[in-house]
Amino acid sequence: MMNMTKTQAHRWALVTGASGGIGQEIARELAAAGYALVLVARDAARLARVADELAQAHGVPVQPLPCDLAQAGAVEALAQALAQGDIVPEVLVNNAGFGVYGEHARTDWQAEHGMIELNVTALTALTKRLLPGMVRRGRGRILNVASTAAFQPGPYMAVYYATKAYVLSYSEALAEELSSSGITVTALCPGPTATAFSQRAQAVDSALFKGKRLPDASEVARYGVRALQRGRRVAVHGCMNSLLAQSVRFTPRRVVTRLVAQMSRRV
């Protein structure tokens, strides 16, 4: 599935979902900061183009490793490829993920199962695989891309919202466990962003996306990498998003859920 040559000593960062959108832009920010990169995504051709672009632009080694992290055994194969290349990531960015839009009684289970495997299982397994080495070395940074969806239930994207709630909870718990270890864990929580996410989720016509000016992926990535570098535990992108994320703590859950449903319906 993957081939990797032996590498010289560098500071390495591993970014999943790196062939486009927020993941690609996070990789760009890290390359500009001098990190060598391991880029992971399903689309081998797009991943190779991104790797070539970043290597030429920033003069750092970039290793594209195409794989589908939702498939059984993919995380272990990725870990073996890193070992074969003598690559020890100091930074792990769990960005890969997608959404499924629609009434839960009608959405496709296979698509939702794949979403759970990628958004939850692969993120957890890859963190679990790389974290012990960070603990032994006494240093490391982990950036888990959650979402503002993590703060409340999400009718019409019920499973997606639930997966992001898991990512947020998991990240905050790990951050506390590791608080005196030299390792930081950051949950990046962007709101709707101008990427291909809405097309893949088939949510382009929902009120969340339609007719709105959305922040671009590079803006979110810059914010996320700054939060990673500062060791912030939770980083909600955008003042309005941050305000809304805090407001749900003081609003009855049923009211919040009804408002999200209204915001998520097709228009």
Side-chain angles (χ1 to χ4, degrees):
M1 181 178 69
M2 310 173 193
N3 291 310
M4 180 179 287
T5 57
K6 295 283 185 178
T7 61
Q8 297 177 344
H10 294 281
R11 292 189 307 159
W12 286 93
L14 188 155
V15 184
T16 70
S19 61
I22 294 172
Q24 178 180 339
E25 296 304 324
I26 289 174
R28 192 185 311 280
E29 292 291 323
L30 292 171
Y35 282 95
L37 299 174
V38 176
L39 304 183
V40 180
R42 293 187 307 164
D43 190 324
R46 287 181 60 185
L47 196 64
R49 288 194 295 270
V50 172
D52 288 343
E53 175 196 342
L54 296 181
Q56 293 178 19
H58 300 286
V60 296
V62 183
Q63 291 274 4
L65 290 181
C67 74
D68 184 352
L69 289 172
Q71 297 299 311
V75 169
E76 185 58 32
L78 174 57
Q80 290 175 4
L82 295 175
Q84 290 169 2
D86 288 335
I87 290 178
V88 179
E90 294 184 13
V91 173
L92 168 61
V93 179
N94 284 306
N95 166 76
F98 68 95
V100 175
Y101 177 86
E103 296 178 13
H104 189 57
R106 300 182 180 182
T107 48
D108 178 69
W109 164 241
Q110 292 303 319
E112 288 181 324
H113 181 260
M115 178 173 58
I116 294 168
E117 289 298 303
L118 183 59
N119 295 13
V120 173
T121 305
L123 178 147
T124 308
L126 188 53
T127 303
K128 187 79 170 176
R129 193 65 175 77
L130 298 185
L131 182 57
M134 293 182 179
V135 171
R136 286 194 299 271
R137 295 187 297 276
R139 66 182 186 278
R141 296 187 184 275
I142 298 170
L143 179 65
N144 291 329
V145 179
S147 168
T148 53
F151 294 95
Q152 66 282 306
Y156 304 105
M157 296 186 76
V159 179
Y160 173 75
Y161 274 60
T163 66
K164 292 304 181 178
Y166 172 90
V167 173
L168 177 60
S169 177
Y170 176 68
S171 299
E172 289 186 284
L174 287 187
E176 180 61 27
E177 285 186 21
L178 299 165
S179 59
S180 59
S181 68
I183 300 158
T184 64
V185 182
T186 301
L188 172 62
C189 300
T193 306
T195 68
F197 173 88
S198 60
Q199 287 91 346
R200 182 173 183 185
Q202 298 184 349
V204 175
D205 293 330
S206 77
L208 286 170
F209 295 96
K210 191 170 184 179
K212 293 184 177 179
R213 184 191 177 280
L214 303 176
D216 62 31
S218 61
E219 178 184 339
V220 173
R222 283 193 298 273
Y223 176 82
V225 171
R226 285 198 301 270
L228 172 75
Q229 292 169 335
R230 294 170 182 171
R232 292 179 59 186
R233 292 191 178 190
V234 179
V236 181
H237 177 259
C239 293
M240 183 57 70
N241 288 332
S242 183
L243 179 63
L244 291 172
Q246 292 300 319
S247 70
V248 301
R249 299 169 57 195
F250 308 104
T251 307
R253 296 282 284 180
R254 187 169 180 177
V255 173
V256 170
T257 305
R258 186 178 298 122
L259 289 172
V260 175
Q262 292 173 355
M263 293 170 58
S264 301
R265 289 193 179 101
R266 296 191 188 279
V267 294

